[in-house]
Every structure is written in structure tokens, then in C-alpha cells.
């Protein structure tokens, strides 16, 4: 599988997004067919230090067993201990050029929400882009205003060959519009972590 294919169904999750055991939710999501996972322990009620590492190791192990790509969100310190395939950062996190020199071989993902953000970012050193929030989301407290599927189309036009995922408010009902706008995949938190039937929702994405 190339990176585009690996990004097709990309679950992002931390314990703060779960009302059940995150390990069980990840197992169900893997059974449903996710192709990538991002460990994002961030925001209110997120775990820290040893507890964060401990949960990360469990989730990492599951991903390894099932050949699901494992990315860590914005935590350079955890990349090596978790043997992550890569790291995803936002505009206010570590600079991607710095990350690239620290991790020459890792996959680096970057979030972009506007043309201004694209212009000020070293897009040439990243492996994939996350574009959003496509739709309204209440999962990320500091999320920007929704940019719509138009933003996906714009980023695709700017970077015809860049692996690209949409993020923010994506559900089984609207995921098709994100792919049709030009994304290689969809990244999803609440639609999966809050689902009554996790594997069914993943199948339908
Ligand atoms: N990043 P849900 S939106 C983590 O726009 C994150 O960069 C965003 O959660 C961005 O799938 C978002 O529940 C939250 O809407 C996505």
C-alpha cells in the first residue's frame, strides 16, 4: 500500500475522546477496516507522561499486529519509544523543517486550513497534508471555522500529487463528498469513537 492508500480511513483518537476503553474501540475500528491510526492524547482530560506512554504502547502494539500505520500527534518525545511510523503536527506545533531534520525517515503530516498557512509552511518537507476543518466540529475546542470541501479541492489543485486527507466533522454520511472533492482519505474522531457500532461506521466511511 502506498501512503495515499494508507490514509484512506484514518482514525484519530485519544482517551479523552472515548467513553469506553480506547483499546477496545481501536480493536473494533481495526476490524472495520481503518488503514491508519493517530494517537492524539490532547485537550481536556488527556493523559500525560507515563500514563500517556502506557496507553500509546498498547495502541501501538495493536496497530503493529494488524499492519495499521501508526502516527503520533505533536509529541516528538514519543516518536521513538512508540516506534511510530510518523508524526502529525498543526500550525502552532513544532516547525516541520525542524521535525524533518530530527526524523529524516519518518512520515510527517501537517494540518493546513488556509492559503496563508500553506504559504508559510515548508510543504516540500512533509509527506501528507490534513485539510480542515471541512465541517463543523466540537471535538477540537480551538478548531477554526469550517472550510468546506472547497478547501480540499483547492489544496488538491495546488498539490496534485500530495497525499491529502480531510479532517473535521466527517461522518459516514458526508465522507463521500470529501473524497469526491479530491482527498485520498478521511480522518475522523467522534464519528467513530462515539459510535454505537464502531466497525460498522468504519466500514461505511
Ligand atoms: N483537527 P471530529 S479538526 C483534531 O481542522 C482536529 O485541523 C482539526 O474531530 C483541524 O472528527 C479536528 O470529531 C477534530 O470532528 C476532528
Amino acid at each position: 500500500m502506498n501512503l495515499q492508500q494508507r490514509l484512506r480511513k484514518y482514525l484519530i483518537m485519544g482517551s479523552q475522546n472515548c467513553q469506553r476503553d480506547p483499546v477496545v474501540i481501536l480493536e473494533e475500528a481495526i476490524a472495520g477496516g481503518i488503514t491508519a491510526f493517530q494517537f492524539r492524547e490532547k485537550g481536556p482530560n488527556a493523559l500525560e507522561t507515563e500514563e500517556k506512554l502506557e496507553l500509546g504502547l498498547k495502541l501501538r502494539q495493536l496497530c503493529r499486529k494488524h499492519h495499521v500505520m501508526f502516527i503520533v500527534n505533536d509529541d516528538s518525545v514519543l516518536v521513538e519509544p512508540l516506534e511510530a511510523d510518523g508524526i502529525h503536527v498543526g500550525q502552532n506545533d513544532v516547525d516541520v523543517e525542524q521535525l524533518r531534520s530530527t526524523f529524516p525517515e519518518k512520515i510527517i503530516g501537517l494540518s493546513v486550513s488556509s492559503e496563508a498557512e500553506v504559504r508559510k509552511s515548508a510543504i516540500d518537507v512533509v509527506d501528507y497534508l490534513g485539510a480542515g476543518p471541512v465541517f463543523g466540529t466540537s471535538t477540537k475546542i480551538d478548531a477554526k471555522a469550517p472550510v468546506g470541501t472547497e478547501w480540499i479541492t483547492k489544496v488538491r489543485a495546488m498539490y496534485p500529487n500530495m497525499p491529502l486527507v480531510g479532517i473535521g466533522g466527517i461522518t459516514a454520511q458526508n465522507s463521500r463528498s470529501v473524497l469526491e472533492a479530491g482527498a485520498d482519505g478521511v480522518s475522523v474522531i467522534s464519528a467513530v469513537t462515539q459510535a454505537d457500532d464502531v466497525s460498522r461506521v468504519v466500514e461505511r466511511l
Side-chain angles (χ1 to χ4, degrees), residues 17-172:
N17 304 121
C18 301
Q19 267 128 27
R20 298 185 292 134
D21 183 353
V23 173
V24 175
I25 293 179
L26 181 57
E27 276 170 348
E28 293 170 358
I30 290 174
I34 59 164
T35 51
F37 175 70
Q38 182 186 125
F39 180 48
R40 182 176 179 279
E41 199 61 43
K42 205 177 213 177
N45 303 316
L47 302 175
E48 287 173 23
T49 58
E50 286 83 20
E51 282 183 325
K52 180 177 179 184
L53 173 63
E54 210 171 295
L55 175 60
L57 285 169
K58 286 185 199 164
L59 302 176
R60 205 290 164 255
Q61 206 171 3
L62 260 181
C63 287
R64 188 188 303 288
K65 183 171 160 199
H66 297 280
H67 310 287
V68 169
M69 181 166 81
F70 183 92
I71 303 287
V72 63
N73 179 280
D74 182 29
D75 192 341
S76 313
V77 174
L78 278 189
V79 171
E80 298 295 356
L82 293 182
E83 296 177 14
D85 296 309
I87 179 165
H88 185 98
V89 290
Q91 292 290 322
N92 299 323
D93 303 333
V94 189
D95 174 67
V96 287
E97 284 177 303
Q98 197 179 322
L99 269 186
R100 177 51 73 212
S101 68
T102 313
F103 301 114
E105 309 293 334
K106 297 288 185 189
I107 294 164
I108 296 178
L110 175 69
S111 298
V112 289
S113 303
S114 66
E115 283 179 53
E117 289 182 0
V118 169
R119 273 195 299 274
K120 71 173 187 156
S121 302
I123 304 290
D124 54 317
V125 306
V126 312
D127 297 288
Y128 76 89
L129 294 173
V134 182
F135 307 109
T137 176
S138 47
T139 305
K140 186 181 179 185
I141 31 177
D142 58 347
K144 295 161 190 162
V147 290
T149 55
E150 295 79 8
W151 177 236
I152 302 282
T153 306
K154 256 193 196 164
V155 176
R156 175 50 78 218
M158 285 188 269
Y159 301 100
N161 302 313
M162 176 67 93
L164 174 66
V165 292
I167 182 162
I170 298 174
T171 64

